[in-house]
Amino acid sequence: MFSASTYTNRRSKLKSQFQSGLLLFLGNEESPMNYTDNCYPFRQDSSFIYFFGLDHPGLNAVIDIDNDEEIIFGDELSIDHIVWMGPQDKLVDQCASVGIRSLKPSNSLQGFLQKAVDAKKAVHFLPPYRAANTLKLSEWLEIPANSVKDKASVELIHAIISIRSIKSNEEVNEIGQAVNIAREMHIMANELARDGEPEYRIKGAIAEIVDAKQGYFGYTPIITVNGQTLHNHNYGNTLQRGQLLLVDAGASVASHYTADITRTFPVGGQFSDKQRDVYDIVLRAEVESIQNCKPGVTYKEVHHSAMKILTEGLTDLGLMKGDAEAAVMEGAHALFCPHGLGHMIGLDVHDMEDLGEDYVGYSEDVKRSNLFGTKSLRLGRKLETGFTLTVEPGLYFIPELIDIWKSEGRHKDFINYSEVEKYLGFGGIRIEDNILITESGSMILGKPIPKNVEDIQF
Ligand code: GLY
Ligand code: MN
Ligand code: MN
């Protein structure tokens, strides 16, 4: 948690963007796994954490613009809770620690909102992503549950994105700490990438590192010899010499800022020539993309250049042909890289994605493409100093996709299918780092994580 002034300043910035109305923030509740008292680990809502800092269930907050009042709605722990959960600082003191002087009981929130609605004041709220909060909003604001999301305040969404997108030094420092834990995880995975090692044991070994640092996985880690399956959460394979091990794993620190790092290692410590050739292309795309990032450049352009580097590399290998620029414009590269170059990162691994991908990643002048592959680019808009984001090009050989495209003759002017078929069973390679946009360009966050061939081979 940061100092009270951090939260007060964040709220002041937000308030300065509104003339009147209420800004309503719903915290998260415990989320049951299979019965009420057996819950997933608690995760507070990120915007609630950002503006109010308090990290436990049962809290909501209102910023009343007209009366310049900031209120937390929540209840002091009862002795029943204390018996089971242990003592905690008094809620009123916790509120003070984030600069909030007004604490009201939870059950007064509905009436408070009702008064505002009766007075025709706007109640701005964010799109809920949990059913429990959808139902609360539905009941409190008398909106049918299935249209709550549509009634979310676009004004509030834009205001929050404009503030949360620009990271302060203390936030950048937290992300850097998360990357440093991820670094240890990836060095361990590299060390364990040996013949006969099961994927689940590598998961166990890196989980131990996260736990020992009092962090947690910021998202479900990918640890697989089938890296061509983009979100592969299976850990059932045993590594065989000659395969590639793709590890996409990031730690979150206690403040919830997270890292999102991918490395791809040769099982047994040595790339084959074929693997090395593809690895070199992905690494070149990653390094050059990071160099291309600077304020004023759109991430859509950086993505485009990255896809072009991949396409040129594949052309040199004989897998693609023709003009690389035209191939990328038409989306032929997406057979090998069907995802975007990256996304914002912060309190969420895909930062602020609950507020709406297009609001976060696009703008009036930069719109999302609907082309297969390019449409999966989450961040397209102009980069600004203080943005933190991922750069994560990859090359994948997805047998099912290759089969379909080949049978349809899709982009056959750009793809040498007879050569591509020689790569069936290759797997996938992705390299992902987290960067900060600085005034003059960009910098990789955290200590360097090995990615050059000579640093990961053994
Ligand atoms: N770890 C998910 C991603 O790279 O976006
Ligand atoms: Mn990512
Ligand atoms: Mn990732």
Side-chain angles (χ1 to χ4, degrees):
M1 204 159 93
F2 302 123
S3 67
S5 63
T6 291
Y7 299 103
T8 306
N9 290 338
R10 289 173 175 181
R11 292 191 300 269
S12 296
K13 273 194 208 158
L14 183 62
K15 286 191 283 190
S16 72
Q17 299 197 35
F18 289 85
Q19 310 300 323
S20 83
L22 299 186
L23 314 183
L24 170 62
F25 290 84
L26 269 64
N28 279 335
E29 298 293 352
E30 295 280 18
S31 183
M33 211 157 28
N34 51 339
Y35 56 88
T36 310
D37 283 347
N38 195 25
C39 295
Y40 292 103
F42 174 71
R43 176 59 158 84
Q44 183 58 288
D45 174 74
S46 296
S47 289
F48 193 92
I49 280 277
Y50 186 87
F51 291 105
F52 300 94
L54 302 183
D55 195 5
H56 51 85
L59 303 174
N60 297 299
V62 168
I63 298 178
D64 182 340
I65 299 293
D66 304 81
N67 297 309
D68 194 14
E69 217 189 344
E70 303 169 334
I71 310 159
I72 296 268
F73 289 83
D75 302 317
E76 293 291 355
L77 287 190
S78 70
I79 186 61
D80 281 355
H81 281 103
I82 291 167
V83 166
W84 289 96
M85 320 291 288
Q88 284 193 14
D89 290 343
K90 289 197 69 142
L91 186 52
V92 69
D93 296 332
Q94 293 182 45
C95 290
S97 75
V98 293
I100 300 273
R101 283 187 299 276
S102 181
L103 172 65
K104 293 187 197 281
S106 289
N107 65 8
S108 63
L109 177 53
Q110 187 169 4
F112 186 91
L113 295 173
Q114 189 60 53
K115 254 195 228 158
V117 171
D118 292 345
K120 303 264 182 290
K121 279 192 197 176
V123 179
H124 298 273
F125 61 87
L126 296 174
Y129 50 90
R130 289 193 182 187
N133 280 348
T134 302
L135 292 177
K136 282 182 192 167
L137 288 165
S138 169
E139 185 187 341
W140 295 342
L141 300 174
E142 297 178 12
I143 304 169
N146 60 7
S147 49
V148 168
K149 233 180 179 160
D150 301 335
K151 302 275 185 213
S153 165
V154 176
E155 208 182 335
L156 183 57
I157 289 170
H158 279 305
I160 290 182
I161 290 172
S162 73
I163 297 168
R164 281 183 57 188
S165 294
I166 310 292
K167 270 56 175 186
S168 66
N169 289 342
E170 57 188 355
E171 291 181 280
V172 170
N173 186 41
E174 294 293 305
I175 301 173
Q177 309 249 355
V179 172
N180 288 343
I181 302 174
R183 175 176 175 271
E184 292 187 31
M185 291 151 59
H186 283 271
I187 289 172
M188 172 63 80
N190 191 178
E191 170 64 27
L192 293 175
R194 292 170 190 269
D195 193 53
E197 191 73 27
E199 292 166 349
Y200 65 81
R201 275 230 303 258
I202 300 173
K203 182 177 179 228
I206 68 174
E208 202 172 307
I209 294 171
V210 186
D211 285 345
K213 300 282 182 188
Q214 293 188 294
Y216 64 94
F217 284 125
Y219 52 94
T220 309
I222 297 164
I223 301 157
T224 183
V225 293
N226 287 317
Q228 77 282 3
T229 303
L230 296 182
H231 280 173
N232 194 334
H233 296 150
N234 178 298
Y235 313 106
N237 297 299
T238 297
L239 278 52
Q240 290 170 24
R241 184 181 303 280
Q243 290 179 316
L244 292 167
L245 176 71
L246 188 151
V247 179
D248 184 345
S252 294
V253 289
S255 59
H256 299 297
Y257 288 87
T258 196
D260 181 9
I261 302 290
T262 307
R263 291 290 183 265
T264 309
F265 307 115
V267 177
Q270 292 290 317
F271 285 114
S272 67
D273 289 347
K274 202 171 174 184
Q275 290 169 338
R276 165 96 201 238
D277 286 343
V278 179
Y279 190 89
D280 282 344
I281 299 169
V282 178
L283 185 59
R284 196 180 323 133
E286 203 240 12
V287 170
E288 289 192 22
S289 297
I290 293 171
Q291 287 164 356
N292 287 340
C293 287
K294 59 176 181 213
V297 169
T298 72
Y299 204 54
K300 203 171 180 177
E301 293 168 74
V302 183
H303 168 90
H304 185 88
S305 305
M307 297 304 121
K308 215 167 135 188
I309 294 168
L310 297 178
T311 301
E312 286 163 354
L314 293 172
T315 304
D316 290 343
L317 292 184
L319 300 179
M320 293 188 75
K321 56 189 172 182
D323 179 53
E325 174 68 21
V328 175
M329 288 302 285
E330 292 187 30
H333 68 283
L335 177 62
F336 309 98
C337 185
H339 63 70
L341 185 63
H343 49 83
M344 295 248 201
I345 188 161
L347 282 168
D348 312 295
V349 61
H350 294 167
D351 207 25
M352 302 174 278
E353 201 157 286
D354 59 310
L355 304 184
E357 265 190 52
D358 283 0
Y359 291 130
V360 177
Y362 289 87
S363 57
E364 269 308 305
D365 45 342
V366 186
K367 296 285 179 211
R368 187 189 283 262
S369 159
N370 56 15
L371 203 60
F372 175 76
T374 317
K375 73 177 178 193
S376 298
L377 177 64
R378 294 190 153 92
L379 175 62
R381 70 184 166 115
K382 228 181 238 178
L383 300 176
E384 294 176 36
T385 306
F387 278 15
T388 50
L389 47 121
T390 70
V391 180
E392 49 179 307
L395 284 172
Y396 313 87
F397 294 87
I398 306 168
E400 298 79 359
L401 191 63
I402 294 169
D403 270 2
I404 293 175
W405 279 37
K406 184 184 172 212
S407 69
E408 291 175 354
R410 207 181 296 188
H411 299 302
K412 62 180 183 336
D413 293 343
F414 296 116
I415 297 169
N416 278 326
Y417 284 102
S418 55
E419 287 303 306
V420 173
E421 286 188 321
K422 296 181 186 160
Y423 285 73
L424 292 173
F426 182 97
I429 293 175
R430 177 165 65 257
I431 304 171
E432 177 175 25
D433 278 304
N434 305 154
I435 68 164
L436 167 71
I437 304 301
T438 62
E439 272 168 30
S440 56
S442 71
M443 61 176 276
I444 297 180
L445 294 169
K447 293 185 207 156
I449 305 174
K451 63 184 173 189
N452 290 325
V453 170
E454 57 276 17
D455 296 328
I456 60 175
Q457 289 200 140
F458 52 79

